[in-house]
Amino acid sequence: MVRIGFGWLLFWAAAVWSQEVPVEEITSGKPDGSVITVLIVDGQSNHNWRETTPVLKYNLEETGLFEVDVLTAPEKGRSWQGFQPDFGQYDAVVLNYNGNPWPDEVCQDLERYVAGGGGLVIYHSANNAFPQWSEYQKMIGVGAWQGRDERWGPRLYWENGQAILDATPGKAGKNSPQRIRAISLCEPNHPIVRGFPPRFMHQADELYEQLRGPAENVTILAGAAPDGSDGRRLEPVLMTIAYHQGRVFHITYGHAGTQCRSVAFIAPFVRGVQWAALGLVTIPVPPDMPAEERPFSRPINP
């Protein structure tokens, strides 16, 4: 029997009432009634993965639709022997990793997994990872820091209703101070964000800016305006990338555990993982999704 958290039962009840979503579509992860299997890979990062991984896992399992395993890579300086993820056992892989390069065979396994139709989710600082892995750059679309510059590809941002590729030379990556942010939809009809408010509010968080990369087959779902700007140019914060037959969901915010319990993080994250895994979204938008005119209403700690 699929477990459904009480809070999510309330959200689903509201969704069924307002959207007439069939009950069978929201009480199971997959059309056959089974759960969605997810692997989170962590173990090295310039961020506190020991704090964020349990929250990412909790967010998914709270819905009752996911079964989540965690694989922790060896610490820096340790042997990679025994680090052999079996990506093919899972419907989606979430990367909470930004550290030493993986062994070549593991990189190739991930490439084959995603290219063959697997789901990949790039969470926050994972877009800084593996700067020398060319296929990874294609999977994530755009990334930052770690020596990235115009050689990695153009800058990507949203302006005047369209995605812009900017080949101006310069380094990739800029980090703004943490503050409450308005996130604006760019592709409101995409399944991950369909039904979200046009502008929704996120708890105090940093904003990744000046992302660069191949930027191939990227759809910007939502963006946020850099500090001090006029708001016309948005940095991408939610994206999808098509990589051969696979689906990639890329979320750039969620710096720490507190930010990962913001409703504005939970909703796109769990829906994005489901989309990466299945190519569809049945998890409804929570009724307390914080729009500009609606204040935060849910405690941010689990």
Side-chain angles (χ1 to χ4, degrees):
M1 182 179 219
V2 176
R3 178 186 60 81
I4 304 175
F6 178 72
W8 283 96
L9 276 174
L10 295 179
F11 301 155
W12 282 330
V16 170
W17 178 80
S18 62
Q19 301 175 24
E20 297 184 352
V21 178
V23 172
E24 61 268 21
E25 289 189 0
I26 59 172
T27 58
S28 62
K30 298 181 188 176
D32 65 3
S34 60
V35 295
I36 300 167
T37 56
V38 177
L39 176 67
I40 299 176
V41 182
D42 63 13
Q44 295 182 24
S45 182
N46 58 330
H47 290 62
N48 188 352
W49 57 268
R50 290 181 177 85
E51 176 183 293
T52 53
T53 288
V55 181
L56 299 178
K57 187 173 188 289
Y58 179 89
N59 288 343
L60 293 169
E61 292 181 338
E62 184 182 29
T63 70
L65 304 183
F66 299 90
E67 184 176 278
V68 183
D69 291 337
V70 176
L71 178 63
T72 298
E75 295 180 7
K76 291 186 177 181
R78 299 289 181 88
S79 169
W80 287 98
Q81 186 175 2
F83 181 71
Q84 298 176 321
D86 189 353
F87 299 118
Q89 286 190 4
Y90 298 91
D91 298 311
V93 175
V94 177
L95 293 189
N96 184 14
Y97 183 91
N98 178 23
N100 286 349
W102 290 348
D104 289 345
E105 59 270 24
V106 177
C107 296
Q108 292 162 10
D109 283 349
L110 185 66
E111 291 173 22
R112 285 190 290 265
Y113 166 76
V114 182
L120 180 64
V121 176
I122 302 300
Y123 156 65
H124 197 52
S125 64
N127 91 1
N128 307 171
F130 307 124
Q132 303 305 324
W133 180 3
S134 60
E135 290 303 306
Y136 187 76
Q137 313 315 308
K138 295 176 184 178
M139 285 188 273
I140 69 174
V142 288
W145 293 286
Q146 303 274 27
R148 290 175 172 88
D149 58 22
E150 66 274 6
R151 294 171 294 174
W152 272 251
R155 275 196 62 200
L156 175 68
Y157 53 86
W158 184 268
E159 191 172 38
N160 296 325
Q162 62 183 336
I164 303 295
L165 298 177
D166 182 354
T168 304
K171 293 182 178 180
K174 180 182 176 183
N175 220 344
S176 60
Q178 294 187 16
R179 66 171 180 81
I180 292 174
R181 296 190 178 277
I183 297 175
S184 300
L185 294 186
C186 302
E187 293 288 347
N189 290 322
H190 191 280
I192 294 175
V193 296
R194 187 179 297 140
F196 283 21
R199 281 167 58 89
F200 58 96
M201 305 304 294
H202 175 45
Q203 299 281 357
D205 205 344
E206 61 193 12
L207 175 66
Y208 280 4
E209 303 176 31
Q210 300 178 9
L211 304 181
R212 316 189 70 112
E216 299 169 352
N217 305 310
V218 178
T219 300
I220 301 175
L221 306 184
D227 293 350
S229 72
D230 60 10
R232 290 183 296 180
R233 177 178 295 187
L234 303 178
E235 296 289 344
V237 298
L238 301 174
M239 294 169 275
T240 62
I241 302 94
Y243 181 78
H244 300 284
Q245 300 302 310
R247 293 172 297 274
V248 182
F249 172 61
H250 186 160
I251 181 168
T252 69
Y253 58 95
H255 176 72
T258 296
Q259 287 85 1
C260 291
R261 284 301 292 169
S262 166
V263 181
F265 178 91
I266 297 171
F269 176 70
V270 298
R271 288 164 62 96
V273 175
Q274 187 184 37
W275 176 85
L278 306 179
L280 56 85
V281 177
T282 62
I283 300 172
V285 179
D288 60 347
M289 190 75 180
E292 280 189 297
E293 68 279 5
R294 185 167 56 243
F296 300 111
S297 60
R298 196 191 310 182
I300 60 175
N301 293 318

